[in-house]
Structures are given as C-alpha cells and as structure tokens.
C-alpha cells in the first residue's frame, strides 16, 4: 500500500469519531451538526470597513498604502504618467529597467528612454538583478488593505515584481476593488479553471522586523513600491 | 433570598476575614446566608493536576451539599469556575451530570452575584486608599467577570482605583503549578508585583485569595510595603 | 523524572532568573500588543471572524481526506508532483532523493517550521548539500547553530549588538549595529544565493483544496524569490494545512497577519498552483509538494483535541503566554513552543515524555483568548494532564490526592488538619525555605501566610 493510502486510511479511521463543533467544547459531547458549507463566505461583514463609494475607497486605498510606506500616485490621465515616471527616474538615477509587454506597462517602460529588459520571451536573471526598477501591471488594487494583486500572467512572471529594488505598478482606476473578498472573487472569475501558477497579494514594500522587531524595508524584495493609478 | 455561600478551603483556613465579610454583606442586603458545613474544597487541586478520579468524590460531596441551593455564591473566581464550568465536564456522561449542570447554572462568583444578579453596587463601604485590582484568570476568562468588581469598587467611598499595566496577565499562582514550577511562578509573580508597585497603590485588591496569597508571599519576602486584600473585605470596610 | 522534564526545569531556572532576557522579550512584544489591538479593533467583528475561521478549519480538518484528495488531484493536473510522508524519516528521504535526482548542490530555503520538525537541515547537510535559510531571522539563528526561538520571530531573543557581532564573526561584514545596516548585509549575502541555488525550498501556510494551491505568507520577499528563481521547487507542509475554498483566504490572510504580527496583511501572500506553466516566462520547471503526517493523524484521532489541528501557526498564543515570556522559546526543547506546542508535542512525541509542558502552565487561558481559530488551548493542557495521570499515575501524587480527598470529605479530619497546621506553623518558620522545609517549593521565594487561630468555619459555628 502506498503512503498516500496509509495516510488517508489513518485519516478516515480517525474521523470515524466526530469532533465537537468549535465553541462547544466544555461538556466534551460530540456532535454531528454540520457547520455551514462555507463559514468564511460572509467575511465581508467582519473584515475592516471600506467606504461605500469609489471615491471613499480610493481615499482608503491611499491611506492604507501610505501606512504601508508604499508610494501611491493617482494620476488625472495617462498623459501624466510620463512626467511622473521621469521625475522618479531622475531622482533615483535609474540606468536599466525591466518590464513586460502590456498596454500600460509598455507605455510606462517606453516613456523612460532607458534600456528595457523585457521578460515576455524569457530573460536572464543576472541581467534582471542589475535592473533598478521592475515595472508591472496588476490584477487589482484592494482598498481594504492598500495592497495590489499580481499574477505570473499579469505582471511579467514571478520575479519581475520582487527582484528589482523598486517595484512600480501601473494600474487602471477601474481595477480598484473594495475588499479582499472582492479581490478573491475577481481572480477566481477571471482565471478559473486555468490559474496563473502564481498569484501574489503584495501589501507594501518588502519588510522585516527580525532585528529587535524594528521595521526595515527592503529585506529581500523591493525597498520601494510605487503604485500609479491612471 | 437564601444564599448558599460556599467557602473555599483557602478562605476557610487562611483568610476567614474574606468569608466573614461576604456573610456580613449578604446579610446586610437582607438575604439569609447558609454555609454547608461539610463541603471543604471544590476539588480543584486534584482536578487541575489531572487526577480527575480523585477529584470526583470531593466534587460529588460539594454537589450533594449544594443540590437544593437557590443560589450558590463562591468567594473565589477560581473555585467558582471549578463548580460552574468544570463540574459539568468532570461529570459528563455520569449519573451526577444533570445535577452538575443544574448547580452550575445557579452558581455565582461573589462580586458578580452582588453586581449582576442582585444589581446592587452601593454597599456603603469606605476604604480611603489607593488600590489596584488583580483579575484572577479563572474569574476573568472562565467566568467572564471583569466589570462587576470595578462597578462595586467605584461606589466605595475614598477608594481610588489605578489599573496596572498588563492587568490581565496571570500572577503566576496557578494552583499546584506554583509548587511544581516555582521558578516560573515566581518570575510571573515578580512581573505582576512590579506592575502593581508602578501604580503607586497601597493595596492589591482581588476577588481571588489564592492569587493574593502568592503575591503577598512574594511581597513579604522581598520586604515590599504593598499589601493585598480580598475584595469582600474592602466592600465590608466601613 | 524523564530527561526532558529535568532539561526543561534546568533551562527554566536559568531563563526565569535572567532579567535581561525578560526585558528583551518584553520590549520585543510591547509594540506587538499595541498594533495587534489596533488591527483587531479595525475588524467590524473580530469575534465573528474567529468563529468563522474556527468553523472553516473544523470543516477542513473533519473532512481532511476529501480535501486532501481534491488538493492533490488539482495539483497533479497541472504538473506538480505530490509526495506523501508518514513520518519525518520518509519526508527527509523523499526530499533528499529529489535533490539527488536533480544533481543539486545548493538549496535556498524560506522559513518552514515543518522542516524544523523533521530536522531537514541536518539531514541535508549530512548528505552533502549546502542549505541556506533566507528569512532574516532564520538566517541569524542558522549562523548561531540554534533552532528558532519563536515560530514567527525566530531571532527575537537577540539584540542588535549580538547580531552585529555574529555577522562580523561569520560574514566579516557588519558596518554598524543598526537594524537597517544589518538587514542590508543579509540582503547582499542572499541575493547571489537566490540566483545560483539549484533548488528552492519552502513551507506553506495554507493549501487550497478547491483550486489546488499552496499559499505562502511572508514579509521579506524571500519566499517569493525562492519560488521564482531556482529550477526546482520543493514545498513541505503538514496535512492539516488545507482549507476548503480559495475565498477562505480572504478571511484567513488578514487574521493571520493581525493575530501573528499586528499587521493588516502580511507583505506577500502568494498562492502557487503549479510549476511554470506553458506561456509563462519564469518559475521552477519542477515542483514537488511533500505532504507530512508525522503523527498528526494521532491528534486527529483524539476528537477532544482535534481542534489543535486548526492551528495556523500565527504565534499569537506564544506572544501572550506569561510562561513563554518568562522561560523563552528554547527552554521548551520542542519545534513548536508556547501553549500550542505544549498541547501538541505530547501527541507528536509522546505523552509521558512531554506531559511536563502541560503541567508547566497556570492555565490562565490567555492563549485561548488570543487564538484566532479558537483552539481550546488551556483546556487541552488540562486534558493532557488528565490523560497522563490516567495512563500512568504518579504513585505519591495520586496517594496524596486520595488522602486529600479523605480529609476534605470528613469534616472532623478537616478540622483537625487545620488545627495541626495552626499549631505547627511556628515550627515551619524555623526551617523556612531550607531543605528541611516541607513547603520549600513555595517558601524558597515566598512567605507562607500566617494561619489564623479561628477559621471561617469556627467563626460560623461559634456564631450560631
């Protein structure tokens, strides 16, 4: 018999005896009363509040992103993207950038007048490691957390959003969702049954508190996260 | 109402003043107080050490003594939790199960009985001292008693309550734990005493004498002037 | 006394007397409490969220076979190789064999308590592989050749000065003792390791049955890099990590972050559903997922304590535990320390050898109150005590409780005992705290209260 069958066999045997439901532990009585099929389905009612309108949600996203030490820049139009990026380029003296083909990411990468490492047809990781910036698109901005959701398909692979020291996300205004349940629903609807092999919720730049619980940004991933919303 | 006051072994043998205060307070409020003579201990020492078979005869005796009580009042959160929360578990699936449930449903911790069940907070007490309050963990977490002692203390003339830092952290008594792992128990007690001393209070008040025995033991040994006193004695101080 | 309990007592005696240790841990946890309470308060209902999380885990664990089969089928359908290990030795063997097959030399690891549980690093190093821990805290304790101090904050017992000295000695690079500078040293060291490692190894926080995914939670980005760059990826997880649905993560991710570190969300929460898929530009060519039992099914077979398998390893119970805070993580001598470790270790490694952990608790219940999935932790400590005493009672302890029962139930004897206590207390004062003192476990550090001549029962009787 395979280990798989051994383990599943032990599990089935153990589950012959029913366990008490959560919160009914005191009398030691077993019960078979089924819990709800999906107890977490109403998560929205318990998670932190988000505003009702798109404006409130955008304001909440901005506040949460600032708390996370991400740089959030809502832009009035696409025309404002180029000057905003050029300001960053000059301030940080970028030499090389990495990006992927996409309506917004290409627009951003091509605006900079710098050599671009495109990930779309494969890339050299050492070369990406030398890049100052990774520019990606995303699947969603989440007002509730101030974070972004990216996937290996929407954001140029697995490494682009985490290897260069500065991650720039270019998002559309209509990609803002209210809360985490909405983000999960969106991803599930968009990708089922063929999910990208990686989905990542990025909530602020990389950080650690492993030395005396003091916050340091850029532990292994990006020190900076800039989110442009057009 | 006839109140059956169950006096825990600690209060009987070590802190009779606390028990006497409870009797006097209840009688002043116009209730008839009974103290079952034969119930000595709730059985918590063997129960908490895992010797449930040895705890059952002790607990069964208590149940039998409390069987017909209208209301059971216990002057300790810890012993109160034993009767109210753990007796039903100890006797689950046994002949005493129904009785254990019934007694549990009529059992109250002293301060909670006065403030919640009787709805009385003004007891005419005077205690002109600065105090801090220690919530015994069993009263706090097993029975959910947190507001009642504070509501009662708020009406004591001259009493100034200063909450200590990490007020809900255990003092480290823990019954037999205090003797089995005295080094941990002592360290926890030292942390608690330091928090209490920081408030500048003259007294640590608690609704659990066992915690106070542990804390007073540390304070006395270390020559600290801070004193401990049971809540009932404060509420009976005039 | 088993060697485990004497080791525990010896280590506890050292740590509880170490006031510097107490201060370091207190300082480290002070900010945690403040931010955790703030994050909890941001929830519309933390209590309802806890109940839902507990029920979700109940569903997962009580239909574990179904969920594991669904998980496996989905993972395999997208090219992931799933392995099953009944015990630590099998898991080590499976992982070692994968590395040999890939002719691997260097392995970059992101944090995984399951790998500590099976002592993977020792086994891999003995087999000639180079293993580097990439999580900063894990990297620090690896350099010190010690196990993690805490399941979430592995190096919380160390000060910046100690870490600076360590980096200077082991890496020859420590510009200052600022956490920023020291973190950047680790970042530089690790960068090249990601790029050159043959295999990336990760643990897991959740596995999603519905969609066939492994979810990894981290702040540093080290797991992201570990799962992005090496050609082969290996993930080890306990079988209890499964959640039924993808959307369950919308609840569990913020709860894990809040309970564990007082964050609204951990920085990276990443769901992997396969190796690099057709059309994707990077990611491992092969992904091996190893499902570990290692006596979890024994815990599963105890319905009373089955909810201990709900644990999401957030560390909240450790953070609030006054025992943990005073004895420290290493004193336990276990992979999983703190309240949850004291509950599950007797199941995973033997009740009689590890029952002392359940006794080393004041049963204060702070852990149960802190647990985001409502595990009845402190009552399970009581259940372990009961099981240990029932299976193998300690002769004298049982005898003393039998005697105590006789005394308590016989009013005449009870009266006599109190009188003897009162009469002999002057004698006790003579030997107070010394080896001759029968109460020395108490009196070494504490005075006994003076016993009154008139007990409550005397007063009651005289009054009538």
């Amino acid at each position: 018999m395979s280990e798989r069958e051994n383990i599943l066999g032990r599990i089935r045997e153990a589950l012959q005896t029913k366990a008490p439901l959560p919160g009914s532990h005191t009398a030691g009585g077993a019960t078979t009363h089924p819990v709800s099929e999906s107890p977490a389905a109403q998560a929205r009612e318990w998670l932190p509040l988000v505003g009702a309108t798109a404006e409130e949600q955008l304001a909440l996203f901005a506040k949460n992103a600032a708390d996370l030490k991400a740089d959030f820049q809502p832009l009035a139009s696409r025309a404002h993207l180029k000057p905003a990026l050029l300001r960053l380029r000059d301030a940080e003296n970028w030499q090389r950038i990495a990006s992927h083909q996409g309506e917004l990411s290409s627009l951003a990468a091509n605006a900079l007048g710098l050599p671009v490492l495109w990930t779309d047809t494969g890339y050299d990781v050492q070369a990406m490691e030398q890049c100052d910036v990774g520019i990606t698109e995303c699947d969603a901005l989440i007002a509730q957390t101030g974070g972004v959701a990216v996937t290996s398909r929407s954001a140029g692979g697995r490494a682009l959003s985490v290897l260069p020291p500065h991650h720039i996300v270019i998002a559309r205004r209509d990609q803002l969702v209210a809360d985490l349940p909405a983000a999960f629903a969106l991803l599930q609807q968009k990708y089922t049954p063929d999910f990208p092999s990686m989905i990542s919720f990025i909530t602020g730049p990389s950080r650690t508190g492993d030395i005396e619980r003091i916050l340091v940004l850029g532990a292994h991933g990006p020190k900076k996260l800039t989110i442009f919303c057009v | 109402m006839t109140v059956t006051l169950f006096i825990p072994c600690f209060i009987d043998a070590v802190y009779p003043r606390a028990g006497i205060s409870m009797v006097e307070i209840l009688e002043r409020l116009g209730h008839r107080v009974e103290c079952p003579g034969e119930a000595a201990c709730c059985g918590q020492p063997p129960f908490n050490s895992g010797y449930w078979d040895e705890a059952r005869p002790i607990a069964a005796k208590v149940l039998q003594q409390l069987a017909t009580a209208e209301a059971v009042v216990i002057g300790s959160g810890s012993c109160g939790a034993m009767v109210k929360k753990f007796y039903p578990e100890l006797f689950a699936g046994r002949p005493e199960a129904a009785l254990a449930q019934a007694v549990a449903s009529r059992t109250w911790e002293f301060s909670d009985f006065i403030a919640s069940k009787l709805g009385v907070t003004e007891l005419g007490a005077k205690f002109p001292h600065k105090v801090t309050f220690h919530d015994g963990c069993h009263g706090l977490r097993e029975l959910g008693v947190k507001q009642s002692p504070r509501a009662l203390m708020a009406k004591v003339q001259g009493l100034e309550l200063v909450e200590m830092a990490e007020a809900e952290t255990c003092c480290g008594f823990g019954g037999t734990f205090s003797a089995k792992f005295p080094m941990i128990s002592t360290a926890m007690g030292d942390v608690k005493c330091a928090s209490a001393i920081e408030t500048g209070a003259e007294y640590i008040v608690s609704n659990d004498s066992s915690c106070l025995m542990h804390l007073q033991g540390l304070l006395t040994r270390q020559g600290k002037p801070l004193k401990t006193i049971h809540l009932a004695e404060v509420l009976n101080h005039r | 006394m088993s060697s485990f309990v004497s080791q525990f007592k010896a280590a506890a005696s050292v740590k509880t007397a170490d006031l510097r240790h107490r201060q370091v841990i207190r300082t480290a946890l002070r900010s945690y409490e403040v931010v955790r309470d703030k994050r909890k308060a941001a929830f519309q209902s933390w209590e309802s969220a806890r109940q839902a999380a507990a029920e979700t885990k109940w569903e997962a664990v009580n239909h574990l076979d179904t969920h594991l089969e669904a998980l496996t089928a989905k993972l395999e359908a997208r090219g992931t190789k799933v392995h099953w290990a009944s015990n630590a030795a099998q898991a080590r063997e499976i992982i070692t064999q994968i590395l040999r097959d890939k002719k691997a030399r260097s392995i970059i690891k992101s944090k995984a308590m399951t790998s500590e549980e099976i002592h993977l690093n020792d086994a891999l190093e003995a087999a000639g592989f180079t293993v580097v821990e990439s999580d900063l805290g894990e990297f620090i304790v690896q350099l010190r050749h010690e196990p993690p101090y805490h399941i979430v904050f592995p190096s919380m017992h160390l000060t910046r000065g100690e870490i600076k000295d360590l980096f200077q000695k082991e890496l020859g690079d420590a510009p200052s003792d600022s956490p920023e500078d020291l973190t950047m040293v680790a970042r530089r060291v690790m960068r090249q390791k990601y790029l050159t490692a043959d295999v990336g190894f990760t643990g897991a926080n959740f596995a999603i049955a519905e969609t066939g995914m492994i979810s990894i939670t981290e702040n540093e980005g080290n797991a992201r890099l570990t799962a992005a760059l090496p050609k082969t990826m290996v993930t080890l997880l306990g079988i209890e990590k499964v959640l039924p649905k993808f959307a369950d993560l919308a609840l569990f991710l913020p709860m894990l972050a809040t309970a564990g570190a007082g964050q609204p969300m951990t920085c990276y929460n990443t769901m992997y559903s396969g190796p690099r898929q057709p059309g994707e530009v990077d990611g491992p060519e092969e992904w091996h997922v190893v499902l570990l039992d290692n006596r979890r099914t024994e815990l599963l077979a105890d319905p009373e304590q089955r909810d201990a398998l709900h644990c999401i390893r957030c560390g909240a119970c450790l953070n609030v535990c006054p025992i943990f805070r005073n004895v420290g993580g290493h004193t336990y001598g276990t992979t999983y320390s703190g309240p949850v470790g004291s509950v599950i270790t007797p199941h995973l490694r033997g009740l009689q050898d590890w029952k002392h952990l359940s006794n080393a608790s004041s049963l204060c219940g702070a852990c149960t109150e802190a647990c985001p999935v409502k595990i009845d932790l402190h009552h399970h400590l009581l259940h372990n005590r009961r099981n240990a005493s029932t299976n193998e009672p300690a002769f004298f302890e049982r005898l003393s409780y039998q005697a105590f029962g006789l005394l308590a139930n016989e009013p005449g004897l009870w009266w006599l005992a109190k009188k003897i206590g009162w009469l002999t207390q002057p004698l006790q004062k003579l030997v107070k705290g010394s080896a001759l003192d029968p109460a020395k476990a108490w009196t070494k550090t504490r005075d006994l209260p003076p016993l009154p001549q008139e007990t409550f029962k005397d007063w009651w009787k005289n009054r009538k």
Side-chain angles (χ1 to χ4, degrees):
Chain A
M1 200 155 57
S2 71
E3 280 318 309
R4 175 191 160 113
E5 290 316 309
N6 286 336
I7 292 172
L8 288 172
R10 285 197 294 273
I11 292 171
R12 290 186 185 115
E13 197 187 324
L15 293 178
Q16 296 287 316
T17 319
K18 299 289 178 214
L21 285 172
S24 64
H25 228 290
T26 44
T31 170
T32 53
H33 174 70
V35 294
S36 148
E37 174 91 346
S38 236
Q42 286 95 45
R44 176 165 293 146
E45 295 167 27
W46 314 314
L47 292 172
L49 274 174
V50 292
T53 67
E55 287 70 33
E56 286 172 291
Q57 289 168 11
L58 190 70
L60 179 64
F61 182 87
K63 182 196 169 292
N64 285 334
D67 287 349
L68 295 163
K69 303 193 190 309
D71 180 13
F72 175 54
Q73 301 193 22
L75 300 173
S77 76
R78 287 187 187 192
H80 291 76
L81 183 59
K82 184 171 179 176
L85 281 164
L86 291 177
R87 272 196 300 279
L88 274 178
R89 176 197 69 182
D90 297 340
E92 296 183 5
N93 191 25
W94 297 344
Q95 302 296 319
R96 278 179 294 269
I97 63 168
S99 188
H100 65 97
Q101 296 290 341
E103 192 190 345
L104 292 172
S105 54
S106 299
L107 181 71
N110 290 326
L112 285 162
L114 291 171
V116 181
L117 175 96
W118 297 100
T119 62
D120 305 83
T121 51
Y123 62 92
D124 177 54
V125 286
Q126 292 285 358
M128 186 191 282
E129 210 276 326
Q130 296 301 310
C131 291
D132 301 300
V133 184
I135 299 177
T136 76
E137 297 185 356
C138 70
D139 292 83
L141 307 180
I142 303 137
Q144 191 167 52
T145 65
V148 301
V150 301
T151 66
S152 43
R153 221 172 285 163
S154 68
R158 295 191 185 194
L160 181 58
S161 55
V162 74
L163 188 59
H166 188 163
H167 177 205
I168 292 182
V169 177
I170 320 279
R172 296 189 315 273
R173 185 73 60 102
D174 63 14
Q175 287 185 306
L176 180 71
V177 299
D179 55 14
L180 285 165
F184 277 91
L186 180 147
L187 289 164
Q188 198 154 17
Q189 195 179 15
K190 182 171 174 182
Y191 292 118
T192 301
D194 181 29
F195 282 91
S197 69
M198 183 206 79
I199 298 171
S200 193
F201 286 73
I202 300 175
T203 313
S206 158
R207 63 197 56 213
T208 186
D210 275 348
I211 301 175
E212 293 189 5
R213 309 291 315 125
I214 290 166
L215 177 71
V216 177
L217 297 182
H220 294 284
K223 293 175 198 191
K224 289 189 175 173
L225 173 64
T226 304
I227 303 161
F228 288 109
C229 186
V230 297
Chain B
M1 171 180 340
T2 301
V3 175
T4 303
L5 187 63
F6 174 41
I7 293 296
C9 52
F10 264 97
I11 293 188
D12 176 25
V14 188
Y15 299 107
R17 292 301 323 162
I20 294 166
S21 300
M22 290 174 216
V23 173
E24 291 178 353
I25 290 168
L26 288 166
E27 288 183 345
R28 265 206 304 281
L29 290 172
H31 302 286
R32 204 170 81 76
V33 178
E34 283 183 352
C35 285
E38 300 204 353
C41 169
C42 63
Q44 202 172 176
F47 178 78
N48 275 0
S49 300
Y51 289 86
W52 291 22
D53 289 340
E54 286 67 27
R56 271 189 208 98
I58 306 175
K61 177 98 174 186
V62 174
L63 274 182
Q64 176 214 321
Q65 295 262 308
L66 302 178
T68 57
E70 192 182 350
V72 177
V73 171
I74 304 185
S76 149
S78 184
C79 310
M82 182 67 192
V83 175
K84 197 166 176 61
K85 189 132 182 201
F86 295 112
Y87 276 13
E89 183 168 358
L90 183 62
F91 291 108
R94 289 170 189 267
E96 301 92 332
L99 180 60
Q101 291 283 3
V103 169
S105 69
R106 297 195 292 267
T107 295
W108 296 82
E109 183 275 330
F110 173 74
S111 68
D112 204 33
F113 179 76
I114 305 278
S116 301
K117 171 74 174 170
L118 300 180
V120 177
T121 47
E122 178 57 76
L123 297 172
K126 283 186 198 146
F127 195 73
H129 299 282
K130 188 171 176 179
V131 308
T132 190
F133 190 77
H134 168 62
D135 296 280
C137 297
H138 275 105
L140 179 69
R141 297 201 181 82
E142 302 293 354
L143 301 178
V145 176
K146 166 104 183 175
Q147 292 313 320
S148 291
R150 288 169 174 78
L152 292 165
M153 281 187 291
K155 294 287 175 69
V156 175
Q157 264 187 50
L159 182 146
E160 184 197 349
L161 173 68
V162 188
E163 297 283 359
M164 63 181 116
E166 299 175 34
E168 295 191 355
T169 301
C170 178
C171 71
F173 173 63
T176 51
F177 163 75
S178 63
K180 285 183 178 171
F181 297 91
M183 61 302 212
I184 309 176
S185 171
T186 297
M188 288 162 69
D190 283 343
V191 171
K192 184 97 277 184
C193 288
S195 303
I197 288 167
E198 249 172 52
T199 64
E202 297 161 71
Y203 287 91
I204 305 177
V205 181
S206 178
N207 47 357
D208 232 317
S209 300
S210 46
C211 305
L212 294 181
M213 180 176 84
H214 166 67
L215 294 173
Q216 187 67 64
L218 287 165
L219 291 166
T220 308
R221 177 62 58 89
Q222 293 169 15
K224 303 270 168 58
L226 184 62
K227 294 175 288 246
T228 60
I229 187 168
H230 193 283
L231 175 65
E233 292 180 66
V234 172
L235 299 175
N236 196 38
H237 206 271
R238 301 172 77 83
Chain C
M1 216 169 9
S2 84
S3 63
F4 297 108
V5 61
S6 38
Q7 278 169 24
F8 177 84
K9 285 188 168 176
S13 297
V14 172
K15 281 295 174 208
T16 50
D18 180 350
L19 297 184
R20 183 183 157 280
H21 169 267
R22 190 186 294 175
Q23 199 47 49
V24 167
I25 300 309
R26 243 186 139 179
T27 308
L29 287 171
R30 190 169 295 149
S31 56
Y32 160 79
E33 286 179 2
V34 174
V35 289
R36 176 204 61 195
D37 289 345
K38 188 176 154 213
R39 298 317 326 172
K40 273 164 76 167
F43 274 67
Q44 294 172 75
S45 173
W46 176 255
E47 282 311 310
S48 302
R50 281 179 84 207
Q51 182 63 24
E55 288 180 15
T56 305
K57 271 293 195 178
W58 187 94
E59 161 59 32
V61 166
N62 283 281
H63 298 104
L64 189 57
D65 52 338
T66 319
H67 294 306
L68 281 176
E69 286 184 309
L71 171 76
T72 310
K74 289 272 181 186
L75 281 170
E76 287 172 343
R78 287 161 62 87
T80 304
K81 179 87 179 83
V82 179
H83 308 260
W84 300 71
S86 280
N87 54 43
Q90 284 179 8
R92 290 192 298 262
E93 181 51 38
I94 290 165
I95 293 165
T96 312
Q97 195 54 51
I98 294 166
L99 302 187
R100 288 203 181 104
D101 289 348
K102 301 317 294 179
K103 300 194 168 35
R105 294 222 306 275
S106 61
I107 294 100
I108 186 106
K109 264 184 86 198
S110 70
K111 187 168 164 38
M113 289 310 295
T114 39
S115 79
E116 301 289 336
E117 182 184 331
I118 66 166
H119 302 289
L120 182 64
N121 287 10
D122 290 345
L124 295 184
E125 277 161 12
F129 300 104
T130 309
V131 185
V132 181
E133 293 286 352
S134 59
D135 172 85
L136 177 59
E138 291 282 345
F139 177 62
I140 291 167
V141 294
Q142 188 188 27
L143 288 178
R144 286 170 59 91
H145 308 287
E146 67 182 13
Y149 179 91
H150 180 292
I151 60 175
V152 177
F153 314 131
S155 60
M156 75 183 290
H157 58 307
L158 301 171
T159 61
R160 63 183 81 186
E162 288 168 305
I163 295 167
K164 172 182 181 279
D165 293 346
L166 176 73
F167 279 13
Q168 191 60 52
K169 179 166 160 258
E170 299 293 334
L171 308 171
D173 188 2
S176 80
D177 68 356
S178 92
E180 168 83 29
D181 283 350
L182 294 168
T183 301
M184 291 311 129
V185 170
R187 180 184 169 102
R188 280 195 294 277
V189 169
M190 215 56 72
R191 277 268 145 170
Q192 282 311 307
K193 307 227 185 257
Y194 291 116
L195 301 182
T196 56
D198 302 306
V199 173
F201 178 94
T202 78
N205 295 86
F206 304 101
I208 307 299
E210 179 189 28
T211 49
M213 292 175 180
I214 301 292
S215 179
I216 301 176
T217 294
E218 47 139 2
N219 272 312
E220 297 182 2
N222 59 311
R224 283 282 313 269
L225 290 164
T226 300
L229 302 177
K231 280 197 159 51
T232 303
M233 174 172 168
V234 178
T235 297
L236 173 69
L237 69 151
I239 51 174
E240 84 287 10
K241 285 274 172 268
V242 70
L243 285 177
K245 295 191 182 302
F246 184 56
D248 292 338
L249 291 171
L251 183 65
F252 278 85
L253 299 180
M255 289 188 78
L256 172 62
T258 296
Q263 289 179 274
M265 277 281 270
T266 316
C267 192
Y268 298 99
N269 285 287
T270 310
M271 293 113 238
Y272 297 98
S273 54
R276 177 178 179 172
Q277 297 295 297
E280 294 189 338
V281 302
D282 57 8
E285 289 160 10
E286 272 183 36
W287 185 26
H288 297 265
V289 169
V290 184
L291 295 169
L292 178 70
D293 178 353
N294 210 23
R295 298 180 74 164
R296 282 163 176 76
T297 44
E298 299 213 4
L299 191 47
L300 193 73
D302 179 354
E304 188 174 47
Q305 295 192 46
R306 189 176 293 162
D307 67 343
L309 290 169
H310 295 185
C311 178
I312 57 173
R313 307 280 187 259
C314 68
C317 63
L318 284 66
N319 298 342
V320 300
C321 177
I323 314 293
F324 179 90
R325 294 166 75 127
N326 281 293
V327 306
H330 289 146
T331 297
Y332 289 80
T334 57
T335 303
Y336 306 102
S337 62
V340 72
S342 299
V343 169
I344 66 176
T345 305
H347 295 266
L348 304 181
R349 294 174 66 182
L351 177 60
Q352 295 304 330
D353 276 345
W354 295 95
K355 63 182 178 188
H356 60 279
L357 296 181
S358 298
N359 289 322
S361 164
S362 60
L363 303 176
C364 78
C367 48
T368 305
E369 191 176 65
C371 178
V373 290
K374 293 181 97 167
I375 303 171
D376 204 4
L377 287 161
H378 72 297
H379 292 150
H380 291 335
L381 296 175
L382 195 54
H383 298 143
N384 280 341
R385 295 181 187 186
R386 180 203 59 206
N387 295 346
S389 304
T390 308
N391 298 349
E392 223 174 274
F395 179 76
F396 284 108
E397 195 176 12
R398 183 162 69 167
L399 195 66
S400 66
Y401 285 128
Q402 285 166 343
F404 178 76
L406 288 177
L407 221 57
N409 278 1
E410 197 50 65
L413 287 175
W414 184 245
W415 178 85
L416 192 65
K418 285 185 288 189
K419 291 303 146 200
I420 292 171
W422 180 74
L423 286 168
T424 55
Q425 64 176 344
L427 299 175
Q428 192 274 335
K429 285 211 172 67
L430 301 174
V431 295
K432 185 172 89 176
S434 77
L436 291 173
D437 185 351
K440 68 173 182 296
W442 179 275
T443 52
K444 197 173 163 214
T445 55
R446 291 162 286 210
D447 272 20
L448 279 170
L451 297 178
Q453 186 172 8
E454 187 187 55
T455 68
F456 176 85
K457 290 209 163 138
D458 295 337
W459 174 83
W460 180 257
K461 210 158 127 194
N462 296 338
R463 178 175 188 253
K464 289 273 144 154

